[in-house]
Every structure is written in structure tokens, then in C-alpha cells.
Amino acid sequence: MHNNAQQYITRAIELAMLGHGFAEPNPMVGCVIVNDKGEIVGEGYHEKFGEAHAEVNALQMAGDRAHGATAYVTLEPCNHEGKTPPCALALIDAGIRKVVIGSIDPHQLSTGGVKSLKNAGIDVEVLDDEACNKLLAPFAKRVSTGLPWVICKWAQTSDGSTITPEGESPWISCEESINRVHAERGCIDGILVGANTVLLDNPSLTARGESPRRLPYRIVLDPILRSPSMQMFLMVTRKQFSFMIHQTMRLTTLAKQSLSKPQTGVLI
């Protein structure tokens, strides 16, 4: 392995993150191809769900220079044909000499790349890299448990308060943190709050900023349907679905008014 292998894996992680918001529900994956002189000859990442994977994009950039080179990839190359052909086969056909893998694929359908590569005579090294495992964590949780990856977000003062003594919600977040939150909102599938947040803050629950990559569902946990029909999360006209989740079939008149709005649903 090259002496600066960690540098190449770190670069592969940086590339993988460029697909955040586009690659999902697939995992974010990055790949760097390095020749025997330690020169990067190919880079790629999984740019969009349903399109070419990271290894294929990196091989396309490298061309003939991939022959005899080492591929550094954040995730075990897939070993099955789904929306795209197997990446393990692409590496084999390109004449790659060695593959360094950050994390093993937890998905039973696509794993097996290591075995295929070794059977083809390719040297394989699995790092079990902490940063690669962290990158993979949302995907790994979904395929192993069937549950979504949940990000908890709140703002608080240095003494641990989120509201004033009068019960008001002060503006605590700085501009930098707000921009970061909205950038992340534009890469995820849903924004969830409770009914009290709707009543006190009247949030729009949207991803604002430059060109969100995804339009997240707006989800409100409202057991007895207290959310007024005029709240912002129901008034915004962008193509985002809103859901209220409650525990009873009893619908108040106000709730019925809310449900009459386009793109609004209730989960029971």
C-alpha cells in the first residue's frame, strides 16, 4: 500500500460527500485511482441514484492508466447487477492491481465484492476505517434495521436553555449554523417536529437556500390534531408533502380544514 494511503482514502471520502442528497437511498461512495508512482490518475463518486457508481466514474477518468493501479474506495465494490453493472467486475476488467476498501458493504444483496476481486487475483485490503464507517452509517442502519437515520437538531444557550423564562423561543442560532442546517435539510427526506413547536414557532419546515437537492417531507407529531390550518407548514406552496401523525380517528373541524389543503396527509 502507498505510504500516504490515508490521504487517498480521505480524498475518496471528500468525493463521496459531493453526492450527498443525490446518491441516496444508495450510500455515498468515493473512489481514487493511484498509479505505481503515487499519482492520482482517476477520481469519481456516486453522483446520483440510478447512475454510475464511484468506481466506474473513476475508471472512466483514468482510462488506460487504471491498468496496474491501486483503487482506494470508501465502500466495498458492489458484486451484483442492479440499476448498474457490478463495480467489482469493472475493476477487474480495467486491470486494477490492488483495491483498498474503507468499509465492507452491509447490504446482503450487493456484498461479495472482496471475494470476487480476490478470485480474480487482485490484492485486497480492508481498512475498517472509522471515517468511512461514519460516512456509511445512515445506509448501514437502514439496510440492517429497516429504520431511518435520524438527525437531532436544536439550538441552546451556553447555560443549556432553549427558551426564555417567559416561555418564548429566542433566536439563538447564528447565520453560519442556520445556513448549515438548511443545506442539510436540502439533502434529507423529512423534517419532523412536534405539535408544540408548530403552535409556538409556526415553522415553515422547508429547505431554504441555494438549490436544495431534495424537497423533504414535512412531518408533525400531533396526537390530537391541534395544529391550526393556517400554520406555515401547511401554507407553503412549494411541492412538498406535509403529514400530521396522530393517535385517534377523531378529527376536529379545524383538522378537517387542514386536511383539505393540497399535498397534506395524515398518518394514523
Side-chain angles (χ1 to χ4, degrees):
M1 185 167 64
H2 297 98
N3 292 331
N4 47 355
Q6 191 59 51
Q7 172 187 335
Y8 301 132
I9 283 293
T10 299
R11 175 56 182 161
I13 293 172
E14 293 173 351
L15 290 167
M17 287 297 297
L18 296 177
H20 187 27
F22 289 134
E24 295 87 352
N26 282 349
M28 294 176 283
V29 182
C31 179
V32 174
I33 298 176
V34 182
N35 65 17
D36 56 4
K37 297 179 181 179
E39 301 168 335
I40 294 177
V41 296
E43 292 186 335
Y45 65 97
H46 186 27
E47 299 179 10
K48 189 175 182 180
F49 176 71
E51 297 184 359
H53 289 186
E55 299 92 325
V56 173
N57 288 327
L59 289 171
Q60 184 176 7
M61 178 179 174
D64 293 339
R65 296 175 296 174
H67 188 81
T70 299
Y72 295 84
V73 59
T74 58
L75 179 65
E76 177 186 15
C78 64
N79 195 44
H80 83 295
E81 183 158 357
K83 294 182 179 296
T84 60
C87 293
L89 180 60
L91 293 169
I92 294 169
D93 290 343
I96 287 290
R97 178 181 60 84
K98 181 174 183 177
V99 179
V100 179
I101 298 170
S103 300
I104 292 296
D105 194 336
H107 200 304
Q108 293 184 352
L109 180 63
S110 54
T111 191
V114 168
K115 182 178 180 180
S116 293
L117 293 169
K118 287 184 176 181
N119 288 342
I122 294 177
D123 186 14
V124 178
E125 181 171 355
V126 179
L127 301 180
D128 191 22
D129 181 77
E130 182 178 354
C132 288
N133 292 339
K134 183 177 180 180
L135 176 72
L136 182 64
F139 175 77
K141 181 178 181 181
R142 181 177 66 81
V143 299
S144 62
T145 69
L147 299 174
W149 182 257
V150 178
I151 304 169
C152 295
K153 173 264 176 184
W154 69 92
Q156 68 182 42
T157 59
S158 59
D159 61 357
S161 177
T162 58
I163 61 174
T164 65
E166 291 76 25
E168 299 175 351
S169 297
W171 195 263
I172 299 173
S173 303
C174 65
E175 183 177 357
E176 180 180 358
S177 66
I178 292 172
N179 291 338
R180 180 177 176 182
V181 165
H182 282 285
E184 186 64 23
R185 281 186 178 188
C187 293
I188 60 175
D189 296 307
I191 304 170
L192 183 148
V193 296
N196 283 338
T197 297
V198 170
L199 293 171
L200 294 173
D201 295 343
N202 192 20
S204 58
L205 304 183
T206 58
R208 300 182 289 280
E210 296 183 6
S211 304
R213 298 183 173 191
R214 302 171 91 86
L215 293 178
Y217 291 107
R218 294 170 292 195
I219 309 165
V220 176
L221 300 178
D222 192 351
I224 57 175
L225 293 178
R226 295 178 294 154
S227 302
S229 61
M230 297 300 288
Q231 295 299 91
M232 283 295 296
F233 87 100
L234 290 172
M235 296 294 289
V236 178
T237 58
R238 296 175 67 181
K239 294 181 180 180
Q240 276 180 282
F241 283 91
S242 301
F243 292 93
M244 290 186 290
I245 302 177
H246 72 106
Q247 62 186 15
T248 174
M249 290 295 294
R250 181 175 59 85
L251 298 180
T252 63
T253 301
L254 199 56
K256 290 179 180 179
Q257 292 175 357
S258 298
L259 297 179
S260 67
K261 295 184 179 298
Q263 299 177 332
T264 303
V266 169
L267 302 181
I268 301 174

